Amino acid sequence: MVRPTLLAVSHGTDDADGARAIADLVAQVAAHLPDVEVRSAFVDVQQPEARDALAAIEGPVVVVPLLLSSGFPVFHDLHGMVADRMDAIVADPLGPDPRLAQVLAQRLSGASDHPVILAIAGSHGPRSVTDAEDMAALLHTHLGRPVHLASLAALEPDLPTALAAHPGAVVSTYLLARGALFDLAVRHSSGRSLTMPLLNGISVPEPLIALVIARYEDAAARLANDDVPACTAELAG
C-alpha cells in the first residue's frame, strides 16, 4: 500500500541560513522515511505555497506543520486547505513536546546555573498562548530551574521587559530557525547569553527528526482510520 505523502509546511523565511536549516531538516526526515514521498511547502515568503503544493499531490497526504504552536497558520490556513479533501489530514504542530525541551536544554548546556527566559514568537491566539505556557513548563521540568516567558511579537511581556526583570537569566530561543525574529532577539539581547534556534544550521537534532516523523505517523494512522479532526470538519461544513 502506498504511504501518504508527507507535506512539510514551514512559515518560510528570507534568511538564507534559516531556509537552508529547514531544508536540511526535511531532507533528514526523508532519509529516515525511504518509503514515503516527502515534499516541502511554505505559509509565506518562500515557494511553493502550501495550498499550491497540496493541489499538486495526487493521493493521500499528511500535512506536517513545521510550526511550534497551534496558531492561526495551523488552524486557519492548513486545516482550511484540506477541508475539501477526504484524503488529506493536518498533523499536530511540533510544539509543545518534551523532545523540543530536550533540544532547548542542549542549547543551554553551557549555562546550567542560570534562570531561563524562553523567547517565543508570540501570538494572540489562545491556543498559541497555552502552547507557549506548556512549553515553558516542559523546559522547567527538564532543567529543574525557573523558566520565564517573553514574546518577540504581539504578547507581553516582550523580551526587553523580561530581560530587565530577570537580569541574571539567559535567553533560550524558541524558534525553529534563523530569520527576522531571531535577528530581533539578538538585538534585544545585546550583552546577554542567547542560544541559537532549534535548528542551528550546523546539524539537525535527532529529537527534532524523530518528532516530525512521530507527527506524520500519528496523523497517517488517523487518516487510515478516517479519524478527521473536529476542527477540519467544522471548516468543511
Side-chain angles (χ1 to χ4, degrees):
M1 181 179 295
V2 176
R3 299 252 273 158
T5 297
L6 191 164
L7 181 61
V9 179
S10 58
H11 183 275
T13 177
D14 56 9
D15 184 284
D17 292 332
R20 189 178 306 112
I22 293 171
D24 288 345
L25 170 61
V26 176
Q28 287 294 317
V29 169
H32 282 73
L33 294 173
D35 58 338
V36 175
E37 182 177 3
V38 178
R39 300 190 187 185
S40 294
F42 307 92
V43 174
D44 196 10
V45 184
Q46 293 177 253
Q47 296 294 323
E49 293 184 359
R51 188 174 294 274
D52 294 338
L54 177 65
I57 299 172
E58 295 184 2
V61 184
V62 173
V63 179
V64 179
L66 301 184
L67 302 166
L68 299 179
S69 68
S70 305
F72 187 84
V74 173
F75 279 91
H76 183 272
D77 296 338
L78 301 189
H79 279 282
M81 76 184 193
V82 305
D84 59 353
R85 281 191 62 159
M86 297 303 296
D87 62 348
I89 191 171
V90 179
D92 291 337
L94 300 183
D97 192 272
R99 284 161 286 204
L100 296 179
Q102 182 181 349
V103 178
L104 292 170
Q106 291 171 353
R107 298 278 181 267
L108 289 162
S109 60
S112 58
D113 297 328
H114 298 274
V116 174
I117 296 171
L118 186 64
I120 65 172
S123 170
H124 285 301
R127 291 188 180 98
S128 293
V129 173
T130 299
D131 286 350
E133 293 171 345
D134 289 348
M135 193 65 237
L138 287 169
L139 185 57
H140 166 71
T141 298
H142 195 96
L143 295 172
R145 50 192 161 120
V147 176
H148 311 282
L149 277 174
S151 175
L152 296 169
L155 299 177
E156 296 293 338
D158 60 13
L159 184 54
T161 300
L163 287 167
H166 307 286
V170 296
V171 179
S172 175
T173 306
Y174 188 47
L175 300 170
L176 187 61
R178 297 181 66 112
L181 287 178
F182 179 70
D183 293 342
L184 181 62
V186 170
R187 291 196 297 272
H188 285 325
S189 303
S190 178
R192 300 284 286 272
S193 295
L194 172 78
T195 67
M196 291 294 291
L198 293 160
L199 294 170
N200 61 8
I202 300 172
S203 61
V204 181
E206 286 294 333
L208 194 51
I209 299 170
L211 176 56
V212 175
I213 292 172
R215 294 291 191 257
Y216 167 81
E217 297 288 6
D218 178 70
R222 288 190 280 120
L223 183 63
N225 293 327
D226 295 324
D227 185 9
V228 179
C231 54
T232 303
E234 290 170 3
L235 285 165

